[in-house]
Amino acid sequence: MKSGASRPREQRRLVELLDVRVEVADPTFRYREGTTCLTTRWHQRTGEPIPPDPSDAQWDRVEVLLRSWFPAHHFRSPLDLRAALTGMLHRLRSGILWSELPTRFGDRVNVRVRQRVWLESGVWEAIMRLLNEEGHGTPVFRRPLPPLLIRTALDTEQVA
């Protein structure tokens, strides 16, 4: 049983009574539009770290893994899969938008589609486990909250 103050309706009423106001302290701050990608959400939900870029030996193992999951036509694309994987990892570590992905990783639309295919098929999880075997991964990028000003009816107001 939840305590009384933890019920959503009672929490809402308490916030109303306190007259809580939250403002972004930096007037130049702008929220980024869009939704969090499914792969980022998967990493946030599972806590699976983002591994470093694959070594040659690791890439050989990833390629064998991919070939065991997908038919030959998956590999006929002009997309360099190793570069694409490196770009996917870079984006997850840095928090950049797909539109900001450098072209050295391949066509961003194709990289994005391939990442979604890998996530939906379940091979993404296998790739992450393989690349994280050495335990050198980092958490997925999380955009920090901007500095906030939080005021309530309990704050003392100075009258000039």
Side-chain angles (χ1 to χ4, degrees):
M1 182 80 178
K2 293 183 177 182
S3 68
S6 66
R7 292 190 194 116
R9 185 175 28 180
E10 291 172 357
Q11 288 176 355
R12 201 170 31 255
R13 179 69 179 132
L14 182 59
V15 168
E16 289 170 1
L17 288 171
L18 290 173
D19 189 23
V20 176
R21 296 171 311 281
V22 180
E23 301 170 23
V24 176
D26 179 1
T28 64
F29 176 80
R30 297 289 176 258
Y31 287 100
R32 288 176 67 171
E33 296 294 324
T35 59
T36 304
C37 89
L38 295 175
T39 308
T40 299
R41 283 195 231 156
W42 180 85
H43 281 277
Q44 290 170 341
R45 187 180 72 254
T46 64
E48 187 73 29
I50 310 302
D53 295 343
S55 66
D56 291 341
Q58 287 175 318
W59 173 249
D60 290 344
R61 292 177 62 204
V62 168
E63 191 171 23
V64 167
L65 178 67
L66 288 171
R67 289 187 184 281
S68 73
W69 280 66
F70 297 103
H73 74 269
H74 188 80
F75 304 93
R76 292 193 189 119
S77 164
L79 184 65
D80 176 339
L81 294 180
R82 183 174 183 176
L85 174 61
T86 303
M88 295 170 198
L89 298 174
H90 171 71
R91 196 187 65 74
L92 291 165
R93 283 190 297 261
S94 66
I96 63 172
L97 298 172
W98 280 111
S99 61
E100 300 166 339
L101 187 70
T103 56
R104 71 179 180 270
F105 299 119
D107 177 75
R108 61 183 57 108
V109 172
N110 291 336
V111 175
R112 182 180 186 182
V113 167
R114 193 59 56 106
Q115 183 178 26
R116 172 152 302 178
V117 167
W118 290 355
L119 179 69
E120 290 174 353
S121 71
V123 77
W124 183 259
E125 180 176 355
I127 293 170
M128 292 302 100
R129 292 228 168 94
L130 186 154
L131 295 178
N132 277 317
E133 286 176 345
E134 296 175 15
H136 300 298
T138 58
V140 69
F141 179 84
R142 289 186 183 260
R143 189 148 317 281
L145 282 176
L148 300 174
L149 295 173
I150 302 172
R151 296 190 173 103
T152 71
L154 300 177
D155 293 334
T156 57
E157 300 221 356
Q158 295 181 357
V159 178

